[in-house]
Every structure is written in C-alpha cells, then in structure tokens.
Amino acid sequence: KIAELILNNNKLSDKPKKDAEQYLLDACSSGDPKAELKLAEFYLDNGEGNKKLVLPLLYQAAGKGEGRAAYMIGSIFKAGKIAVKSNRMALSWFQKAKSLGYSSAQYEIDVYEKKPPGSELSDALIQNAKNGDTEAELKMGLIYYQGEGIGTDYYEAEKWLRKAAGKNDPIACRILGELYSRDLFVDEELYAIASDYGISNAEPWLKQAAESG
C-alpha cells in the first residue's frame, strides 16, 4: 500500500522511486502475488536495467492466480519487445488470464481465434516436420522466423530450427545463432527462475554453422 501511494505521485524523483521499489521487494520476499505484479509493472515503466526481471515476476504472480499477470505475459509475447514475439505463447497466456477471471483477455482471444496461429501451414509440411524430416523442420523454422504469411513467431521458429540444427543443418545453425543473439529469446521454464537465454547462447550454433559449411 505504501508503494502504491508513492507510485501514484506522477512527479516522482529517483529517491521516492527507490523507496517504492524497496517496499515492493520486501512484499515480494513474502510471496505476495499482488506485489510481484506491481513490481513487474514498476520495472516495465522505470528503466531498462531490470526489465529482465519482469517475466519471472509475472510468472510467479500468474502462478498464484493473478489474472492480470497472465494477461501481461500474453501482451509481452504479442509485442515481442522484452521477449520473443510468439502468437502461440500470447494466445495461451490470454486464455490463462481468462481462466483466472481476467475478462479483458477475451478480446485478444477473439482476435486470435478468427485466424489461429499456424493455420496457414500445410498439413503435409507439419506432418513431415513432426516425423523428423530435417528439410521440413528447417522450412517450418524459416516460415515462423520470417513470418511468411503467418506472422513472425520466434518461439515456434526456435523449436523447429533447434531440431534441424541438432542434425547439423548449417542454415538452421546460422539462423538459430542469429535468433539467440537478439538477446530476446527466453525459455519459459528457465525464465520462471529468473534465468534467460543471452548473447552467449548464440556462439555454439554460429560455430556449428561454420563447421557445417
């Protein structure tokens, strides 16, 4: 409550902001989901340095039933600014938000359900990729990476490119390296414990691409 009162003052200097942050951190240490949500919002609005803590905080708050936190996660994946753009991830989190009683998520769900993510892909391509065909895996990854007619979805792109790169496909290795080097890609489970994929993750894939020709 003290933090909210401080933050409601639009003319804050750095000192009151720091005080508000500390109050929220103290509340988060006791596992308060509303404080986790508020701190995530605070980091979104105040400075670049702590934005990598936004998703871990939101994951924790959503896991404790905060529908707005789930909605914000969906919005983050939809925008693709502090995490990779992924329509599938966005939709799943908007649906989670709705299930937690956050009714504003319904509009976003309606938009996606008019044109489900990936509905433009051919059944044959999907099946071949699922059967482990490297060329199909690569093509799936490229389609999602470039957004050819379906909208960019880096989360899906990473999934398929990693499969092809694991078989030493040089194109998949190169593009996977480029994807990781954006420093936006996150693995949901790792991010949930405040870890993320960074620039260092690109190096082995770029090296593997070079060795594969």
Side-chain angles (χ1 to χ4, degrees), residues 28 31-40 53-77 89 92-102 188 192:
C28 287
D32 183 344
K34 293 189 182 302
E36 291 164 349
L37 173 59
K38 199 70 180 176
L39 186 58
L53 297 175
V54 170
L55 274 177
L57 286 164
L58 291 176
Y59 282 139
Q60 291 181 68
K64 297 168 187 172
E66 284 292 327
R68 176 166 169 74
Y71 180 84
M72 288 178 66
I73 296 171
S75 299
I76 286 170
F77 280 113
M89 290 293 290
S92 70
W93 279 102
F94 288 138
Q95 291 169 332
K96 174 72 171 177
K98 181 187 175 184
S99 73
L100 292 173
Y102 195 75
E188 187 173 357

Side-chain angles (χ1 to χ4, degrees), residues 8-180:
N8 285 336
N9 182 345
N10 293 326
K11 297 180 180 180
L12 286 180
S13 64
D14 288 341
K15 176 64 167 61
K17 284 182 181 179
K18 279 292 183 186
D19 291 342
E21 179 185 11
Q22 190 57 56
Y23 282 121
L24 288 170
L25 285 168
D26 290 344
C28 287
S29 67
S30 65
D32 183 344
K34 293 189 182 302
E36 291 164 349
L37 173 59
K38 199 70 180 176
L39 186 58
E41 292 175 329
F42 175 81
Y43 285 147
L44 273 175
D45 295 335
N46 296 278
E48 295 293 325
N50 291 315
K51 284 194 174 178
K52 287 186 177 181
L53 297 175
V54 170
L55 274 177
L57 286 164
L58 291 176
Y59 282 139
Q60 291 181 68
K64 297 168 187 172
E66 284 292 327
R68 176 166 169 74
Y71 180 84
M72 288 178 66
I73 296 171
S75 299
I76 286 170
F77 280 113
K78 180 181 178 181
K81 291 184 178 178
I82 65 171
V84 291
K85 182 176 176 62
S86 172
N87 291 325
R88 288 179 185 273
M89 290 293 290
L91 175 57
S92 70
W93 279 102
F94 288 138
Q95 291 169 332
K96 174 72 171 177
K98 181 187 175 184
S99 73
L100 292 173
Y102 195 75
S103 59
S104 297
Q106 185 61 57
Y107 172 79
E108 298 290 353
I109 294 170
D110 289 343
V111 170
Y112 280 114
E113 288 184 344
K114 287 179 182 176
K115 191 176 184 181
S119 59
E120 303 87 344
L121 295 169
S122 74
D123 292 339
L125 176 61
I126 294 173
Q127 192 57 53
N128 286 340
K130 287 181 176 179
N131 289 339
D133 182 272
T134 305
E135 185 176 345
E137 292 168 345
L138 173 62
K139 189 169 183 178
M140 289 279 285
L142 289 173
I143 288 172
Y144 280 115
Y145 182 74
Q146 297 167 351
E148 295 177 355
I150 66 169
T152 302
D153 191 322
Y154 291 143
Y155 193 87
E156 286 294 307
E158 189 270 350
K159 180 177 77 175
W160 292 108
L161 288 170
R162 178 178 278 273
K163 290 178 182 292
K167 300 169 188 173
N168 295 319
D169 183 277
I171 297 175
C173 290
R174 176 176 59 80
I175 296 175
L176 194 62
E178 291 174 0
L179 179 59
Y180 285 143

